[in-house]
Amino acid sequence: KQWYQRRVRGVLAGLNNFAFDGMLEFWDVGSDTPTLMESGEHFMVTHLAWDPTGRYVCSSNSYGGHSVENGYFMWSFQGTKLYETSLEGFVQFQWRPRPPSLLTEAHLKEIKKNMKSYARDFEIKDKLSKSKASKELIEKRRRVYDEYMAYRKRKDQELKALRLQYEEVRSDSVEEEYVEEVVEFFIKEEVEAAENKE
């Protein structure tokens, strides 16, 4: 097994080892007693690489190590698999290097010192933007509801007018009187001679 550490987080990985092939253990080593956060597996893993922030780690199986199942898995520092992909002929995974900061050390110290006030300001702005968005959504829903109610009222009035017209036509119609007649037709008459039995 090999140990890959980034700040207070570490991954114990079984690389190119048949006994521990692909086993990954994610550890928090920031306290006196290291804590195993999660275990994972990436079969035939050949390389591990931490991102510059220390929040993500990538396990990869390169074409140089094995000719099958090439690709990489993306993990959070807690050991949650976030993404996986297979790439035929995959050679190497590297994180993009972080550019140097444009802030001086004095500016960074000032930002860290005033972080709570900045956080408070951003929270206020977030709440305002959320309330503005929710206000716009409520107004839109109210407008759609009002349009629907106006449409429904119009259709109810049209229906009432049609019912009145129907009732007027029905009441104005003259009721027909029905007379029952019985008609009889003479169709055929047959005369048969009665036989005399003596």
Side-chain angles (χ1 to χ4, degrees):
K1 288 191 171 185
Q2 294 183 13
W3 176 253
Y4 292 83
Q5 185 170 349
R6 180 78 180 182
R7 298 185 185 125
V8 295
R9 300 165 187 139
V11 178
L12 190 61
L15 305 179
N16 299 318
N17 184 328
F18 289 110
F20 303 105
D21 192 22
M23 293 302 299
L24 303 173
E25 294 180 350
F26 294 83
W27 290 84
D28 180 4
V29 291
S31 61
D32 293 335
T33 56
T35 307
L36 176 64
M37 294 184 288
E38 190 66 55
S39 294
E41 184 177 357
H42 182 172
F43 184 63
M44 298 167 61
V45 63
T46 57
H47 297 92
L48 278 181
W50 282 98
D51 85 309
T53 65
R55 286 188 255 162
Y56 306 99
V57 66
C58 177
S59 61
S60 60
N61 177 6
S62 68
Y63 185 73
H66 302 283
S67 59
V68 293
E69 297 192 28
N70 303 131
Y72 61 91
F73 291 5
M74 198 72 61
W75 306 83
S76 71
F77 71 90
Q78 295 113 335
T80 305
K81 188 191 305 180
L82 304 173
Y83 180 76
E84 73 177 83
T85 186
S86 295
L87 300 168
E88 189 176 331
F90 174 76
V91 177
Q92 184 179 18
F93 182 91
Q94 286 186 334
W95 292 96
R96 182 188 307 174
R98 293 188 79 174
S101 176
L102 300 175
L103 300 173
T104 63
E105 286 296 322
H107 283 109
L108 288 172
K109 285 181 183 178
E110 181 183 338
I111 290 171
K112 288 179 182 177
K113 179 181 173 185
N114 297 324
M115 186 58 76
K116 288 185 181 178
S117 65
Y118 293 145
R120 196 176 324 110
D121 293 343
F122 286 129
E123 285 175 7
I124 291 170
K125 287 180 182 177
D126 287 346
K127 285 181 182 177
L128 287 175
S129 65
K130 284 181 184 176
S131 66
K132 181 181 177 186
S134 61
K135 184 178 178 184
E136 289 173 357
L137 181 64
I138 290 170
E139 288 174 358
K140 180 181 177 184
R141 287 179 180 170
R142 173 59 61 187
R143 189 174 60 252
V144 169
Y145 176 77
D146 290 343
E147 289 173 3
Y148 169 74
M149 291 309 288
Y151 172 80
R152 183 174 175 181
K153 186 175 181 182
R154 238 183 10 258
K155 291 301 175 182
D156 283 344
Q157 289 172 349
E158 289 175 11
L159 183 62
K160 284 180 185 177
L162 286 173
R163 282 185 180 158
L164 286 173
Q165 288 176 357
Y166 175 74
E167 292 296 327
E168 287 174 8
V169 169
R170 191 169 178 198
S171 65
D172 289 346
S173 64
V174 178
E175 292 186 14
E176 298 178 9
E177 293 182 18
Y178 293 98
V179 178
E180 187 175 326
E181 292 183 20
V182 177
V183 179
E184 293 182 10
F185 291 98
F186 183 75
I187 298 176
K188 185 177 178 185
E189 181 178 337
E190 286 186 20
V191 178
E192 285 185 21
E195 292 181 22
N196 197 358
K197 292 185 180 181
E198 292 183 13

